[in-house]
Amino acid sequence: MLLERISEFLLPATSPATSNIVPQDGVVLPRAPRTPVFIGASLYPIDVFCDAQIRDLSADGLIALMGETEVDLAVGQALHVTIDEQYYHLGTVKWAQDRRFALDLPNADAIFGHDFGDGDGAADTGQHSPGMHIRYDASVRIVAGAPPIAATIRNLSSAGMLLDTTPGLMPGQHIVVKAQDMMPIYGRAEWTSGRSIGLKARQPISHMVPTHR
């Protein structure tokens, strides 16, 4: 689990902090224990959500999609793809035309559960992406926004994290956090103060797993 995996990054090595107490409407509530860490990360501010349909899957990690976005997609732009809104996979726009666009998504075959070595007769179907292709039909969600910014994770709990980063993000901002070899973590800024951000994760962080893909 992620909380076990980050132990190697502890600087210095410490035990998890004791539970904090937060008063709320006169009731004292425990807060999830937090582990002090010092981990470099990239933050991807998310401003656009759109649903898309995969139409083509390539053995070299290219997927062709159909969908509509509220912004024009640019070649080289970083996007995240999610199948279940738990795990977010980073891809790069390779081409975009009208409502169709393609992403370079590393290890797309593993992400979508297809083995191109199973001999199912896949054929090349597109001039933009050479290699072995198959027709594929699956619904995904695409999230996009501003270019990534550097950050440092300062503490971590099962519910969220404290980050230091460039000032300017506002409470309510949706963010994907990518750190080391971990699966990207999706959440929302609960509060901001100067360079600090309190991020609430959409899914319990202890349930996240390292990315091998």
Side-chain angles (χ1 to χ4, degrees), residues 46-83:
I46 300 303
D47 301 312
V48 176
F49 301 80
C50 77
D51 294 321
Q53 199 74 17
I54 297 176
R55 297 302 188 194
D56 185 78
L57 182 63
S58 168
D60 53 12
L62 197 74
I63 59 174
L65 303 102
M66 293 281 290
E68 291 190 40
T69 66
E70 298 177 7
V71 296
D72 292 331
L73 298 178
V75 173
Q77 181 177 355
L79 303 177
H80 282 88
V81 180
T82 179
I83 305 170

Side-chain angles (χ1 to χ4, degrees), residues 150-173:
T152 302
I153 303 174
R154 293 295 187 176
N155 68 43
L156 188 63
S157 75
S158 61
M161 63 183 68
L162 173 66
L163 302 119
D164 283 348
T165 188
T166 304
L169 296 179
M170 302 297 292
Q173 174 71 57

Side-chain angles (χ1 to χ4, degrees), residues 8-9 16 39 50 55 57 70 73 90 93 96 109 117 119 121 132 149-150 154 156 158 178 201 206 210-211:
E8 63 191 271
F9 301 114
I39 304 174
C50 77
R55 297 302 188 194
L57 182 63
E70 298 177 7
L73 298 178
L90 179 62
V93 176
D109 54 345
M132 186 179 293
I149 55 178
R154 293 295 187 176
L156 188 63
S158 61
K178 181 68 167 62
S206 59
T211 176

Side-chain angles (χ1 to χ4, degrees), residues 181-198:
D181 63 343
M182 306 302 173
M183 293 294 289
I185 297 169
Y186 171 68
R188 188 181 68 171
E190 288 286 282
W191 58 266
T192 64
S193 178
R195 296 178 57 88
S196 298
I197 296 175

Side-chain angles (χ1 to χ4, degrees), residues 68-175:
E68 291 190 40
T69 66
E70 298 177 7
V71 296
D72 292 331
L73 298 178
V75 173
Q77 181 177 355
L79 303 177
H80 282 88
V81 180
T82 179
I83 305 170
D84 52 14
E85 296 195 42
Q86 294 187 38
Y87 302 110
Y88 287 76
H89 309 280
L90 179 62
T92 305
V93 176
K94 299 299 291 185
W95 56 265
Q97 184 177 9
D98 299 325
R99 294 182 61 241
R100 299 181 67 243
F101 56 99
L103 295 183
D104 184 1
L105 190 68
N107 300 313
D109 54 345
I111 293 170
F112 295 104
H114 181 81
D115 182 1
F116 280 92
D118 60 12
D120 61 358
D124 192 354
T125 58
Q127 60 180 353
H128 297 285
S129 46
M132 186 179 293
H133 288 241
I134 61 168
R135 292 296 182 184
Y136 198 87
D137 189 14
S139 297
V140 296
R141 171 157 285 194
I142 304 294
V143 294
I149 55 178
T152 302
I153 303 174
R154 293 295 187 176
N155 68 43
L156 188 63
S157 75
S158 61
M161 63 183 68
L162 173 66
L163 302 119
D164 283 348
T165 188
T166 304
L169 296 179
M170 302 297 292
Q173 174 71 57
H174 292 263
I175 300 170

